[in-house]
Amino acid sequence: GNSVTQMEGPVTLSEEAFLTINCTYTATGYPSLFWYVQYPGEGLQLLLKATKADDKGSNKGFEATYRKETTSFHLEKGSVQVSDSAVYFCALSDPYGGSQGNLIFGKGTKLSVKP
Amino acid sequence: EAGVAQSPRYKIIEKRQSVAFWCNPISGHATLYWYQQILGQGPKLLIQFQNNGVVDDSQLPKDRFSAERLKGVDSTLKIQPAKLEDSAVYLCASSSNHYEQYFGPGTRLTVT
């Protein structure tokens, strides 16, 4: 079945450091891939997405490239800020894989950025 | 546009009691989802509605959980009777397509 595996946290970085959060997936069809972010006390927000192989999603300085050959969708940011502290979830949606397009989430990675 | 609304934000109940959560999706969104997010885990889908019909409820514990979506708009998720392991955040999301889901703030349930 479909699944998402992302690196375990917590991840603690200093401000302006480079961020990578690894995410790999298993899917039977041709999924769309997502990164969601959950700030403290808030609901999930879509951060970026990619719907086909080699697509690059980007938003707020974050980027992730859909790599079909390595089944990966790693999240990167060149210079993190304290305000980026949150929990990040990698997810996939496989509308043609029998799951009706439902999102399947990884366990989440907590990021803490220190000033 | 207004986002997905959920109430209550917090609820504490004793085991074997009943509880209900309410969700109002973004106007015009045909698809509505309920997720359960246990502490330290990613959200897990409980049920998906398309308008007022159920599309997927394969992971809903039907012996204690029920959900309905009246007139294809608002939705209610009920737990009766609650167990300790039901302590979690219950998230509602809505979508107008299969690619973007918009989440509400969630209801944090504590069962003691």
Side-chain angles (χ1 to χ4, degrees), chain A residues 4-61:
Chain A
V4 174
T5 302
Q6 60 181 106
M7 65 185 284
E8 294 195 15
V11 174
T12 302
L13 296 173
S14 297
E15 207 165 23
E16 299 183 1
F18 184 85
L19 169 71
T20 300
I21 301 178
N22 291 337
C23 171
T24 57
Y25 68 90
T26 301
T28 54
Y30 301 92
S32 296
L33 301 173
F34 305 83
W35 278 100
Y36 278 82
V37 59
Q38 189 171 36
Y39 296 103
E42 298 184 17
L44 286 162
Q45 301 176 24
L46 178 63
L47 181 59
L48 54 83
K49 69 179 188 292
T51 57
K52 61 183 187 297
D54 300 325
D55 269 2
K56 177 185 284 188
S58 61
N59 186 26
K60 299 181 182 180

Short mmCIF file of all heavy atoms in Angstrom, two decimals, chain A residues 4-61:
data_model
loop_
_atom_site.label_atom_id
_atom_site.label_comp_id
_atom_site.label_asym_id
_atom_site.label_seq_id
_atom_site.Cartn_x
_atom_site.Cartn_y
_atom_site.Cartn_z
N VAL A 4 4.35 6.92 3.50
CA VAL A 4 5.32 8.02 3.50
C VAL A 4 6.23 7.85 4.71
O VAL A 4 5.75 7.60 5.82
CB VAL A 4 4.61 9.39 3.59
CG1 VAL A 4 5.62 10.51 3.74
CG2 VAL A 4 3.74 9.61 2.35
N THR A 5 7.52 7.99 4.48
CA THR A 5 8.50 7.91 5.55
C THR A 5 9.31 9.20 5.57
O THR A 5 9.88 9.59 4.54
CB THR A 5 9.45 6.72 5.34
OG1 THR A 5 8.68 5.51 5.27
CG2 THR A 5 10.43 6.61 6.51
N GLN A 6 9.34 9.88 6.68
CA GLN A 6 10.14 11.09 6.77
C GLN A 6 11.06 11.01 7.97
O GLN A 6 10.81 10.25 8.93
CB GLN A 6 9.27 12.34 6.82
CG GLN A 6 8.31 12.44 7.98
CD GLN A 6 7.48 13.71 7.91
OE1 GLN A 6 6.30 13.69 7.59
NE2 GLN A 6 8.08 14.85 8.25
N MET A 7 12.14 11.80 7.91
CA MET A 7 13.15 11.72 8.94
C MET A 7 12.55 12.11 10.29
O MET A 7 11.67 12.97 10.39
CB MET A 7 14.33 12.63 8.60
CG MET A 7 14.04 14.09 8.58
SD MET A 7 15.47 15.04 8.03
CE MET A 7 16.49 14.99 9.49
N GLU A 8 13.04 11.44 11.31
CA GLU A 8 12.50 11.70 12.63
C GLU A 8 13.17 12.95 13.20
O GLU A 8 14.31 13.25 12.93
CB GLU A 8 12.75 10.50 13.55
CG GLU A 8 11.97 9.27 13.10
CD GLU A 8 11.92 8.21 14.18
OE1 GLU A 8 12.23 8.53 15.33
OE2 GLU A 8 11.56 7.06 13.85
N GLY A 9 12.43 13.64 14.03
CA GLY A 9 12.98 14.80 14.69
C GLY A 9 13.22 14.51 16.15
O GLY A 9 13.25 13.35 16.55
N PRO A 10 13.32 15.55 16.95
CA PRO A 10 13.27 16.94 16.49
C PRO A 10 14.57 17.38 15.84
O PRO A 10 15.62 16.81 16.08
CB PRO A 10 13.02 17.70 17.79
CG PRO A 10 13.60 16.85 18.86
CD PRO A 10 13.42 15.43 18.41
N VAL A 11 14.45 18.38 14.99
CA VAL A 11 15.59 19.00 14.35
C VAL A 11 15.75 20.39 14.96
O VAL A 11 14.80 21.16 14.98
CB VAL A 11 15.37 19.11 12.83
CG1 VAL A 11 16.51 19.89 12.18
CG2 VAL A 11 15.24 17.72 12.21
N THR A 12 16.95 20.68 15.44
CA THR A 12 17.23 21.99 16.03
C THR A 12 18.33 22.65 15.23
O THR A 12 19.41 22.07 15.04
CB THR A 12 17.66 21.87 17.50
OG1 THR A 12 16.61 21.20 18.23
CG2 THR A 12 17.88 23.24 18.11
N LEU A 13 18.05 23.85 14.74
CA LEU A 13 19.01 24.59 13.93
C LEU A 13 19.14 26.01 14.46
O LEU A 13 18.23 26.53 15.11
CB LEU A 13 18.55 24.65 12.47
CG LEU A 13 18.45 23.34 11.70
CD1 LEU A 13 17.83 23.58 10.34
CD2 LEU A 13 19.82 22.71 11.55
N SER A 14 20.26 26.62 14.13
CA SER A 14 20.44 28.05 14.40
C SER A 14 19.87 28.84 13.24
O SER A 14 19.80 28.37 12.09
CB SER A 14 21.92 28.37 14.58
OG SER A 14 22.44 27.67 15.70
N GLU A 15 19.46 30.06 13.55
CA GLU A 15 18.93 30.94 12.51
C GLU A 15 19.93 31.06 11.37
O GLU A 15 21.14 31.12 11.59
CB GLU A 15 18.62 32.31 13.10
CG GLU A 15 17.53 33.07 12.40
CD GLU A 15 17.00 34.24 13.22
OE1 GLU A 15 17.72 34.72 14.10
OE2 GLU A 15 15.85 34.66 12.98
N GLU A 16 19.43 31.08 10.15
CA GLU A 16 20.20 31.20 8.90
C GLU A 16 20.88 29.90 8.48
O GLU A 16 21.58 29.90 7.46
CB GLU A 16 21.21 32.34 8.98
CG GLU A 16 20.56 33.72 9.20
CD GLU A 16 21.56 34.85 9.19
OE1 GLU A 16 22.77 34.59 9.00
OE2 GLU A 16 21.15 36.00 9.38
N ALA A 17 20.68 28.84 9.21
CA ALA A 17 21.25 27.55 8.81
C ALA A 17 20.45 26.96 7.65
O ALA A 17 19.32 27.36 7.38
CB ALA A 17 21.24 26.57 9.99
N PHE A 18 21.07 25.98 6.97
CA PHE A 18 20.42 25.27 5.86
C PHE A 18 19.59 24.12 6.42
O PHE A 18 20.02 23.40 7.30
CB PHE A 18 21.48 24.74 4.90
CG PHE A 18 20.92 24.09 3.67
CD1 PHE A 18 20.57 24.84 2.56
CD2 PHE A 18 20.71 22.71 3.63
CE1 PHE A 18 20.04 24.25 1.42
CE2 PHE A 18 20.18 22.10 2.50
CZ PHE A 18 19.85 22.88 1.39
N LEU A 19 18.40 23.96 5.86
CA LEU A 19 17.48 22.92 6.32
C LEU A 19 17.25 21.88 5.24
O LEU A 19 17.00 22.22 4.07
CB LEU A 19 16.13 23.53 6.70
CG LEU A 19 14.97 22.54 6.95
CD1 LEU A 19 15.22 21.78 8.25
CD2 LEU A 19 13.64 23.26 6.97
N THR A 20 17.33 20.62 5.63
CA THR A 20 16.85 19.51 4.80
C THR A 20 16.03 18.58 5.68
O THR A 20 16.51 18.17 6.74
CB THR A 20 18.00 18.70 4.17
OG1 THR A 20 18.78 19.54 3.35
CG2 THR A 20 17.44 17.56 3.33
N ILE A 21 14.84 18.26 5.26
CA ILE A 21 14.01 17.23 5.90
C ILE A 21 13.72 16.18 4.84
O ILE A 21 13.09 16.47 3.82
CB ILE A 21 12.70 17.78 6.47
CG1 ILE A 21 12.97 18.87 7.51
CG2 ILE A 21 11.89 16.64 7.11
CD1 ILE A 21 11.72 19.51 8.09
N ASN A 22 14.20 14.97 5.08
CA ASN A 22 14.06 13.91 4.09
C ASN A 22 12.67 13.28 4.12
O ASN A 22 12.08 13.09 5.19
CB ASN A 22 15.10 12.82 4.33
CG ASN A 22 16.50 13.29 4.01
OD1 ASN A 22 16.69 14.24 3.24
ND2 ASN A 22 17.49 12.66 4.60
N CYS A 23 12.19 12.94 2.92
CA CYS A 23 10.91 12.27 2.78
C CYS A 23 10.99 11.30 1.61
O CYS A 23 11.42 11.68 0.52
CB CYS A 23 9.80 13.27 2.52
SG CYS A 23 8.20 12.53 2.08
N THR A 24 10.62 10.06 1.85
CA THR A 24 10.51 9.08 0.77
C THR A 24 9.12 8.47 0.80
O THR A 24 8.45 8.49 1.83
CB THR A 24 11.56 7.96 0.90
OG1 THR A 24 11.41 7.32 2.17
CG2 THR A 24 12.97 8.50 0.77
N TYR A 25 8.70 7.92 -0.32
CA TYR A 25 7.33 7.43 -0.41
C TYR A 25 7.27 6.08 -1.12
O TYR A 25 8.19 5.71 -1.86
CB TYR A 25 6.43 8.43 -1.13
CG TYR A 25 6.75 8.60 -2.59
CD1 TYR A 25 6.14 7.81 -3.56
CD2 TYR A 25 7.68 9.55 -3.03
CE1 TYR A 25 6.45 7.94 -4.91
CE2 TYR A 25 7.99 9.69 -4.36
CZ TYR A 25 7.38 8.89 -5.29
OH TYR A 25 7.70 9.02 -6.62
N THR A 26 6.18 5.39 -0.89
CA THR A 26 5.83 4.17 -1.62
C THR A 26 4.42 4.36 -2.13
O THR A 26 3.52 4.73 -1.37
CB THR A 26 5.89 2.93 -0.70
OG1 THR A 26 7.20 2.81 -0.16
CG2 THR A 26 5.55 1.67 -1.49
N ALA A 27 4.23 4.15 -3.43
CA ALA A 27 2.91 4.34 -4.00
C ALA A 27 2.70 3.38 -5.16
O ALA A 27 3.63 3.05 -5.88
CB ALA A 27 2.72 5.78 -4.47
N THR A 28 1.46 2.96 -5.33
CA THR A 28 1.15 2.03 -6.42
C THR A 28 0.88 2.76 -7.73
O THR A 28 1.08 2.21 -8.79
CB THR A 28 -0.08 1.19 -6.06
OG1 THR A 28 -1.16 2.06 -5.73
CG2 THR A 28 0.21 0.29 -4.87
N GLY A 29 0.44 4.00 -7.65
CA GLY A 29 0.10 4.75 -8.86
C GLY A 29 1.10 5.87 -9.09
O GLY A 29 2.30 5.70 -8.92
N TYR A 30 0.56 7.02 -9.49
CA TYR A 30 1.38 8.20 -9.76
C TYR A 30 0.91 9.32 -8.85
O TYR A 30 0.07 10.13 -9.22
CB TYR A 30 1.26 8.60 -11.24
CG TYR A 30 1.70 7.49 -12.16
CD1 TYR A 30 0.79 6.56 -12.66
CD2 TYR A 30 3.03 7.36 -12.51
CE1 TYR A 30 1.21 5.53 -13.49
CE2 TYR A 30 3.46 6.33 -13.34
CZ TYR A 30 2.54 5.42 -13.82
OH TYR A 30 2.95 4.41 -14.64
N PRO A 31 1.47 9.35 -7.65
CA PRO A 31 0.93 10.26 -6.64
C PRO A 31 1.31 11.71 -6.85
O PRO A 31 2.27 12.02 -7.55
CB PRO A 31 1.55 9.74 -5.35
CG PRO A 31 2.88 9.18 -5.78
CD PRO A 31 2.61 8.57 -7.14
N SER A 32 0.54 12.58 -6.23
CA SER A 32 0.96 13.95 -6.01
C SER A 32 1.58 14.01 -4.62
O SER A 32 1.20 13.25 -3.73
CB SER A 32 -0.24 14.91 -6.07
OG SER A 32 -0.80 14.90 -7.36
N LEU A 33 2.55 14.89 -4.46
CA LEU A 33 3.30 14.97 -3.20
C LEU A 33 3.16 16.35 -2.59
O LEU A 33 3.09 17.35 -3.32
CB LEU A 33 4.78 14.64 -3.45
CG LEU A 33 5.05 13.25 -4.05
CD1 LEU A 33 6.52 13.10 -4.40
CD2 LEU A 33 4.62 12.15 -3.08
N PHE A 34 3.14 16.39 -1.28
CA PHE A 34 2.86 17.62 -0.56
C PHE A 34 3.76 17.75 0.67
O PHE A 34 4.18 16.76 1.26
CB PHE A 34 1.41 17.64 -0.04
CG PHE A 34 0.36 17.41 -1.10
CD1 PHE A 34 0.04 16.12 -1.49
CD2 PHE A 34 -0.30 18.46 -1.68
CE1 PHE A 34 -0.92 15.88 -2.46
CE2 PHE A 34 -1.26 18.25 -2.66
CZ PHE A 34 -1.57 16.96 -3.04
N TRP A 35 4.02 18.99 1.04
CA TRP A 35 4.51 19.30 2.37
C TRP A 35 3.50 20.21 3.05
O TRP A 35 3.09 21.24 2.48
CB TRP A 35 5.87 20.00 2.32
CG TRP A 35 7.01 19.04 2.15
CD1 TRP A 35 7.69 18.72 1.01
CD2 TRP A 35 7.62 18.26 3.19
NE1 TRP A 35 8.66 17.79 1.28
CE2 TRP A 35 8.66 17.50 2.61
CE3 TRP A 35 7.40 18.15 4.57
CZ2 TRP A 35 9.46 16.62 3.34
CZ3 TRP A 35 8.19 17.29 5.30
CH2 TRP A 35 9.21 16.54 4.69
N TYR A 36 3.08 19.79 4.25
CA TYR A 36 2.20 20.60 5.08
C TYR A 36 3.00 21.06 6.30
O TYR A 36 3.90 20.36 6.77
CB TYR A 36 0.99 19.79 5.55
CG TYR A 36 -0.12 19.70 4.54
CD1 TYR A 36 -0.08 18.77 3.51
CD2 TYR A 36 -1.23 20.55 4.61
CE1 TYR A 36 -1.11 18.69 2.58
CE2 TYR A 36 -2.26 20.47 3.68
CZ TYR A 36 -2.18 19.54 2.67
OH TYR A 36 -3.20 19.46 1.75
N VAL A 37 2.62 22.21 6.85
CA VAL A 37 3.28 22.74 8.04
C VAL A 37 2.21 23.01 9.10
O VAL A 37 1.10 23.42 8.79
CB VAL A 37 4.09 24.02 7.72
CG1 VAL A 37 3.22 25.11 7.13
CG2 VAL A 37 4.81 24.53 8.95
N GLN A 38 2.58 22.72 10.34
CA GLN A 38 1.66 22.94 11.47
C GLN A 38 2.38 23.79 12.50
O GLN A 38 3.26 23.31 13.22
CB GLN A 38 1.23 21.60 12.06
CG GLN A 38 0.12 21.68 13.08
CD GLN A 38 -0.41 20.30 13.46
OE1 GLN A 38 0.35 19.34 13.54
NE2 GLN A 38 -1.71 20.20 13.69
N TYR A 39 2.00 25.06 12.57
CA TYR A 39 2.58 25.95 13.57
C TYR A 39 1.91 25.68 14.92
O TYR A 39 0.78 25.19 14.96
CB TYR A 39 2.39 27.41 13.15
CG TYR A 39 3.12 27.75 11.87
CD1 TYR A 39 2.42 27.87 10.66
CD2 TYR A 39 4.49 27.93 11.86
CE1 TYR A 39 3.08 28.16 9.49
CE2 TYR A 39 5.16 28.22 10.68
CZ TYR A 39 4.45 28.33 9.50
OH TYR A 39 5.12 28.61 8.34
N PRO A 40 2.58 25.99 16.00
CA PRO A 40 2.04 25.70 17.34
C PRO A 40 0.63 26.25 17.51
O PRO A 40 0.37 27.43 17.27
CB PRO A 40 3.04 26.39 18.27
CG PRO A 40 4.32 26.40 17.51
CD PRO A 40 3.93 26.59 16.07
N GLY A 41 -0.29 25.38 17.91
CA GLY A 41 -1.66 25.80 18.18
C GLY A 41 -2.53 26.04 16.96
O GLY A 41 -3.67 26.49 17.09
N GLU A 42 -2.01 25.74 15.78
CA GLU A 42 -2.76 25.99 14.55
C GLU A 42 -3.01 24.71 13.78
O GLU A 42 -2.45 23.66 14.07
CB GLU A 42 -2.01 26.99 13.68
CG GLU A 42 -1.81 28.35 14.33
CD GLU A 42 -1.15 29.34 13.38
OE1 GLU A 42 -1.14 29.10 12.16
OE2 GLU A 42 -0.64 30.36 13.88
N GLY A 43 -3.86 24.80 12.78
CA GLY A 43 -4.13 23.67 11.92
C GLY A 43 -3.06 23.49 10.86
O GLY A 43 -2.16 24.30 10.72
N LEU A 44 -3.19 22.43 10.10
CA LEU A 44 -2.24 22.16 9.01
C LEU A 44 -2.43 23.15 7.88
O LEU A 44 -3.54 23.48 7.49
CB LEU A 44 -2.46 20.75 8.47
CG LEU A 44 -1.99 19.61 9.34
CD1 LEU A 44 -2.65 18.32 8.91
CD2 LEU A 44 -0.48 19.48 9.25
N GLN A 45 -1.31 23.61 7.32
CA GLN A 45 -1.35 24.50 6.16
C GLN A 45 -0.53 23.88 5.04
O GLN A 45 0.56 23.38 5.29
CB GLN A 45 -0.76 25.86 6.50
CG GLN A 45 -1.45 26.60 7.62
CD GLN A 45 -0.73 27.89 7.95
OE1 GLN A 45 -0.01 28.46 7.13
NE2 GLN A 45 -0.90 28.36 9.18
N LEU A 46 -1.04 23.94 3.83
CA LEU A 46 -0.28 23.47 2.70
C LEU A 46 0.91 24.40 2.47
O LEU A 46 0.75 25.60 2.31
CB LEU A 46 -1.15 23.42 1.45
CG LEU A 46 -0.45 22.98 0.16
CD1 LEU A 46 0.04 21.55 0.27
CD2 LEU A 46 -1.39 23.14 -1.03
N LEU A 47 2.12 23.83 2.44
CA LEU A 47 3.32 24.62 2.22
C LEU A 47 3.69 24.63 0.73
O LEU A 47 3.95 25.66 0.14
CB LEU A 47 4.47 24.07 3.05
CG LEU A 47 5.81 24.79 2.95
CD1 LEU A 47 5.69 26.24 3.37
CD2 LEU A 47 6.87 24.06 3.79
N LEU A 48 3.73 23.44 0.13
CA LEU A 48 4.04 23.34 -1.29
C LEU A 48 3.61 21.98 -1.79
O LEU A 48 3.37 21.07 -1.01
CB LEU A 48 5.52 23.60 -1.56
CG LEU A 48 6.55 22.77 -0.81
CD1 LEU A 48 6.80 21.43 -1.46
CD2 LEU A 48 7.86 23.53 -0.69
N LYS A 49 3.55 21.87 -3.13
CA LYS A 49 3.13 20.61 -3.71
C LYS A 49 3.81 20.39 -5.06
O LYS A 49 4.32 21.33 -5.67
CB LYS A 49 1.62 20.55 -3.89
CG LYS A 49 1.05 21.49 -4.96
CD LYS A 49 -0.44 21.34 -5.07
CE LYS A 49 -1.01 22.10 -6.25
NZ LYS A 49 -0.93 23.56 -6.10
N ALA A 50 3.81 19.13 -5.51
CA ALA A 50 4.28 18.77 -6.84
C ALA A 50 3.41 17.62 -7.34
O ALA A 50 3.14 16.68 -6.59
CB ALA A 50 5.75 18.36 -6.82
N THR A 51 2.96 17.72 -8.56
CA THR A 51 1.98 16.75 -9.04
C THR A 51 2.56 15.73 -10.02
O THR A 51 1.88 14.75 -10.34
CB THR A 51 0.80 17.46 -9.71
OG1 THR A 51 1.31 18.27 -10.78
CG2 THR A 51 0.06 18.33 -8.71
N LYS A 52 3.79 15.93 -10.51
CA LYS A 52 4.38 14.93 -11.40
C LYS A 52 5.89 14.94 -11.25
O LYS A 52 6.48 15.88 -10.70
CB LYS A 52 3.98 15.16 -12.84
CG LYS A 52 4.39 16.48 -13.42
CD LYS A 52 3.87 16.61 -14.84
CE LYS A 52 4.39 17.85 -15.53
NZ LYS A 52 3.96 19.09 -14.89
N ALA A 53 6.50 13.90 -11.78
CA ALA A 53 7.95 13.71 -11.64
C ALA A 53 8.70 14.92 -12.19
O ALA A 53 8.33 15.49 -13.22
CB ALA A 53 8.37 12.44 -12.36
N ASP A 54 9.76 15.30 -11.45
CA ASP A 54 10.66 16.41 -11.77
C ASP A 54 10.06 17.78 -11.49
O ASP A 54 10.75 18.79 -11.65
CB ASP A 54 11.16 16.34 -13.22
CG ASP A 54 11.93 15.06 -13.49
OD1 ASP A 54 12.64 14.59 -12.58
OD2 ASP A 54 11.82 14.52 -14.60
N ASP A 55 8.80 17.85 -11.08
CA ASP A 55 8.23 19.13 -10.67
C ASP A 55 8.93 19.61 -9.42
O ASP A 55 9.30 18.81 -8.55
CB ASP A 55 6.74 18.97 -10.34
CG ASP A 55 5.85 19.20 -11.53
OD1 ASP A 55 6.38 19.46 -12.64
OD2 ASP A 55 4.62 19.13 -11.36
N LYS A 56 9.10 20.92 -9.30
CA LYS A 56 9.63 21.52 -8.08
C LYS A 56 8.55 22.40 -7.48
O LYS A 56 8.05 23.30 -8.14
CB LYS A 56 10.87 22.35 -8.37
CG LYS A 56 11.42 23.05 -7.11
CD LYS A 56 12.59 23.98 -7.43
CE LYS A 56 13.85 23.21 -7.67
NZ LYS A 56 15.04 24.11 -7.80
N GLY A 57 8.19 22.09 -6.24
CA GLY A 57 7.27 22.95 -5.51
C GLY A 57 8.08 23.94 -4.69
O GLY A 57 9.14 23.61 -4.18
N SER A 58 7.56 25.17 -4.57
CA SER A 58 8.29 26.16 -3.78
C SER A 58 7.31 27.15 -3.16
O SER A 58 6.25 27.45 -3.73
CB SER A 58 9.31 26.91 -4.63
OG SER A 58 8.66 27.59 -5.68
N ASN A 59 7.68 27.64 -1.96
CA ASN A 59 6.84 28.61 -1.27
C ASN A 59 7.61 29.11 -0.05
O ASN A 59 8.22 28.31 0.67
CB ASN A 59 5.52 27.97 -0.82
CG ASN A 59 4.56 28.97 -0.21
OD1 ASN A 59 4.60 30.16 -0.52
ND2 ASN A 59 3.66 28.48 0.62
N LYS A 60 7.59 30.40 0.20
CA LYS A 60 8.19 31.01 1.39
C LYS A 60 9.66 30.62 1.56
O LYS A 60 10.15 30.50 2.68
CB LYS A 60 7.42 30.60 2.65
CG LYS A 60 5.97 31.03 2.66
CD LYS A 60 5.28 30.60 3.96
CE LYS A 60 3.82 30.98 3.96
NZ LYS A 60 3.14 30.56 5.20
N GLY A 61 10.37 30.40 0.47
CA GLY A 61 11.78 30.04 0.53
C GLY A 61 12.03 28.55 0.66
O GLY A 61 13.17 28.10 0.57
#
